[in-house]
Amino acid sequence: MKLGLFGFPVGHSRSPRLFARLATLIKKPISYEAVAVPLGTLAAAARLRRAAGWRGVNVTAPLKAEAAAYADRLTPAARALGAVNVLRFGRGVVGHNTDAQGLRDALKSAGVKARGKSTLVFGAGGAARAAGWALAREGARSVRFTARTASRARRTANDLRKIFPRTRFSAGAGAPAEIWINATPLGMKGFPDRSPAPKHLPSPEAAVDLVYGRRTAFQRDAAARGARVEDGAAMLVYQALRAWEFWDKPLGGRRRAALAGPLMKEVFK
Ligand code: NAP
């Protein structure tokens, strides 16, 4: 199956290695190529690959909104999040989002239980929306978004409130919570390595960083306060497995979990 990744830049991506390992594990021929696609050129790049018989692509920054506009049809998750991280090519193009489900899988595998909990999400972009969606689906009591642009945090809270009326969504300054999620790029390569958490907040039970592959200030800060800490590696692997299932067929929970371990080792060795 011919697959790939569209983004800009893509040189740093771990996805080609991940899918090469997946091909070996599930004994299927997969070709996977990372393509540098500047903003505004996704349609042309997709047309070329569709003509060459590709089954689909993963989509990463800064193209997730452009991919949503390009798709002929969106799945409910992609529509709810306004962002597409995977496209499936066929007679038409279907856009889907596996970030939120990938985070749910990752929380489950780490034993982080959001049911009935208060949660605080740092950031208000696409990853923060996916985190809000995942937390609400897991039955969180409340989700608060905090970002420097207050209006964006409010919009994210308002949009999700319409979909999940049972979870209390709010936006504003950081407030005490049982679970923290870092959905800002702070700590990622090329960004300042600072914790977005205000000093005065008490420790959460668990702090989940969506940044992966490095011990960030957010993770060190939360660990020093006494929280258990998870990074974004499991989410990365699970969103990729969910994308594979969208192109191919469902793996099932047990198989998915069994594949996640070796994939994590391959990608982060
Ligand atoms: P984005 O759309 O650029 O959003 C980033 C958000 O962070 C914005 O709302 C920004 O708002 C906020 N922010 C930046 N600095 C901040 C600060 N000092 N304090 C509070 N908020 C701050 O990026 P994204 O696509 O959502 O991605 C965010 C992160 O998630 C990236 O590191 C990405 O790698 C990671 N991610 C990981 C996975 C995975 O599989 N593990 C999947 C998707 C994304 P303001 O500028 O208004 O503060």
Side-chain angles (χ1 to χ4, degrees):
M1 194 185 294
K2 289 185 188 170
L3 300 167
L5 168 73
F6 286 179
F8 199 85
V10 286
H12 65 287
S13 172
R14 294 171 199 243
S15 295
R17 231 161 66 204
L18 193 154
F19 279 95
R21 180 81 180 116
L22 179 65
T24 314
L25 289 169
I26 62 176
K27 300 188 177 65
K28 290 219 179 181
I30 298 175
S31 71
Y32 191 98
E33 189 191 324
V35 188
V37 177
L39 205 57
T41 65
L42 180 135
R47 209 174 307 120
L48 266 178
R49 272 73 195 186
R50 285 176 74 185
W54 287 31
R55 173 69 172 145
V57 288
N58 285 124
V59 177
T60 188
L63 302 171
K64 290 183 182 182
E66 192 171 328
Y70 171 71
D72 299 313
R73 196 159 65 74
L74 297 178
T75 62
R79 207 172 315 117
L81 296 166
V84 155
N85 77 331
V86 44
L87 289 170
R88 185 173 65 206
F89 303 148
R91 231 178 264 159
V93 178
V94 189
H96 184 35
N97 189 304
T98 62
D99 280 338
Q101 187 57 50
L103 179 56
R104 281 185 82 192
D105 294 336
L107 292 175
K108 191 170 169 206
S109 82
V112 175
K113 295 192 173 70
R115 178 158 299 284
K117 299 272 169 72
S118 57
T119 68
L120 178 62
V121 177
F122 298 99
R129 259 171 203 264
W133 190 96
L135 292 165
R137 283 294 303 267
E138 286 301 305
R141 185 174 80 246
S142 62
V143 179
R144 186 169 180 82
F145 294 98
T146 181
R148 292 168 307 183
T149 314
S151 56
R152 199 170 175 201
R154 274 199 304 273
R155 195 164 57 237
T156 300
N158 288 341
D159 289 350
L160 287 170
R161 189 177 297 127
K162 289 178 202 143
I163 306 169
F164 300 106
R166 279 202 231 156
T167 298
R168 207 169 60 234
F169 287 98
S170 64
E178 291 158 292
I179 297 176
W180 288 355
I181 309 257
N182 176 34
T184 75
L186 290 175
M188 214 169 79
K189 196 168 174 215
F191 290 86
D193 189 18
R194 280 189 281 107
S195 171
K199 291 260 176 310
H200 65 84
L201 287 188
S203 175
E205 290 167 18
V208 181
D209 198 350
L210 301 195
V211 175
Y212 49 78
R214 37 181 56 208
R215 187 78 175 163
T216 63
F218 172 77
Q219 294 166 37
R220 293 193 304 272
D221 171 23
R225 296 186 202 215
R228 59 175 290 203
V229 171
E230 302 290 337
D231 84 344
M235 176 180 171
L236 179 78
V237 165
Y238 278 110
Q239 64 77 26
L241 282 170
R242 292 281 181 172
W244 166 254
E245 293 174 67
F246 182 63
W247 294 316
D248 192 50
K249 57 180 186 301
L251 288 163
R254 238 196 257 161
R255 184 109 195 272
R256 192 182 306 119
L259 289 167
L263 288 175
M264 222 124 47
K265 270 201 205 114
E266 171 65 27
V267 175
F268 295 100
K269 72 182 177 197

